[in-house]
Amino acid sequence: MLRIAVPNKGSLAETAAVMLTEAGYATRRDPKELHLIDARNGVEFFYLRPRDIATYVGSGALDVGLTGRDLLLDSGSTATEIEALGFGDSTFRFAGPEGRFAQLDDLQGVRVATSYPGLVGDFLRSAGVEATLVHLDGAVESAVRLGVADAVADVVSTGTTLRKAGLEIFGPVILESTAVLIGNGDEKPGLATLRRRLQGVLVARQYVLLDYDLPVALLEQATAVAGGIESPTISPLRDPEWVAVRVMIKREETNDIMDALYELGARAILVSAIHAARL
């Protein structure tokens, strides 16, 4: 069986479980359950601390895993990223007291608090900056106020938490992280199916089906508005002057394309969700 590591808690856990369910795999019912066999699909799931997943996969104890890119890079594991999964986005930045730091070089010789010493240490070394890393498990924004560090490196969304702690963001982005599928280089049976299914979920989330009726004379113009993945499906209607068109479009572009097609002359414009896909 293909052995898959899945986050057992934290921000990635729930979304990873939903994605696997949409991909047709069994998921645990009891949040305390740490092991699940999905015999129908030939896989075993191991529910682990998100920080440990890269270590298990890199060692070969497990075949693949779902975790964060940040956790993979911070672990120092030999596991590698296979592909991004489209959720769990986060940005890592440096922050310090207002007015004290302006650029990365200003961190030379100071103390930097972080929950990701491997990730941040590698970034600083690659930039030629020597700093003392203070490893904290969380709430690093308090480190400066409490005198434990001079600056921090942490996940930033809006920056509100940092500002409340009297800190401001500076310097370059350390990492744009996201949830990823990781492996150890072994092409185990079932891995290709897992990847294809996860990609199908991503397609279903990113695209919709658009159906509309259109005068034949306007077909070329309509195709220029929405060409689809390969090309639209065209079906004849009872009126020989009209055709029915079906095309896949990006979900985020739906209303703009509908408006453009209506102005062109399309009618009976309908949008349908995609529940599963294989491209």
Side-chain angles (χ1 to χ4, degrees):
M1 287 188 170
L2 185 70
R3 297 166 299 175
I4 305 173
V6 184
N8 68 341
K9 60 182 178 179
S11 59
L12 299 178
E14 183 176 348
T15 311
V18 170
M19 189 171 196
L20 288 167
T21 299
E22 292 178 4
Y25 293 100
T27 54
R28 62 180 181 174
R29 296 181 179 180
D30 184 350
K32 295 181 179 180
E33 191 174 5
L34 300 180
H35 178 235
L36 173 67
I37 295 178
D38 183 354
R40 182 173 63 86
N41 289 300
V43 301
E44 284 184 88
F45 291 107
F46 295 82
Y47 296 89
L48 306 169
R49 290 179 68 247
R51 279 193 169 273
D52 296 335
I53 288 176
T55 300
Y56 279 103
V57 174
S59 70
L62 298 177
D63 302 318
V64 294
L66 284 72
T67 189
R69 181 180 291 149
D70 54 338
L71 297 174
L72 168 62
L73 296 177
D74 190 61
S75 70
S77 166
T78 57
T80 57
E81 178 177 330
I82 297 175
E83 58 191 51
L85 299 176
F87 67 91
D89 294 347
S90 59
T91 303
F92 285 75
R93 299 295 301 269
F94 291 105
E98 294 183 7
R100 178 170 178 184
F101 301 102
Q103 57 190 12
L104 188 60
D105 289 345
D106 294 339
L107 291 175
Q108 189 75 32
V110 308
R111 300 167 300 168
V112 179
T114 182
S115 299
Y116 298 81
L119 171 64
V120 176
D122 287 344
F123 183 85
L124 290 173
R125 280 190 293 274
S126 68
V129 175
E130 294 186 9
T132 300
L133 296 182
V134 180
H135 184 194
L136 300 175
D137 283 337
V140 299
E141 64 275 1
S142 301
V144 175
R145 180 178 295 170
L146 296 175
V148 174
D150 305 297
V152 302
D154 200 17
V155 176
V156 175
S157 52
T158 63
T160 301
T161 302
L162 293 174
R163 285 193 294 273
K164 287 182 178 179
L167 305 177
E168 64 178 359
I169 296 169
F170 69 92
V173 172
I174 302 169
L175 177 71
E176 295 285 358
S177 185
T178 190
V180 294
L181 177 69
I182 64 173
N184 50 36
D186 293 337
E187 286 292 328
K188 295 292 181 67
L191 177 55
T193 299
L194 172 66
R195 294 185 63 182
R196 190 162 52 246
R197 289 189 179 191
L198 293 177
Q199 289 165 359
V201 172
L202 291 176
V203 170
R205 291 178 175 180
Q206 295 170 3
Y207 289 84
V208 294
L209 282 176
L210 181 70
D211 290 277
Y212 60 91
D213 296 342
L214 183 81
V216 176
L218 299 175
L219 189 55
E220 289 299 323
Q221 296 177 61
T223 301
V225 172
I229 299 297
E230 294 174 349
S231 64
T233 299
I234 313 297
S235 303
L237 295 177
R238 183 173 182 179
D239 184 341
E241 298 298 319
W242 284 69
V243 291
V245 183
R246 165 167 285 191
V247 65
M248 281 179 62
I249 61 172
K250 288 187 176 180
R251 184 182 296 271
E252 62 188 18
E253 299 174 354
T254 298
N255 285 294
D256 289 338
I257 290 176
M258 290 177 73
D259 290 339
L261 289 173
Y262 188 88
E263 291 175 5
L264 181 63
R267 294 296 181 265
I269 306 173
L270 304 174
V271 175
S272 303
I274 300 171
H275 298 290
R278 300 289 186 274
L279 296 184

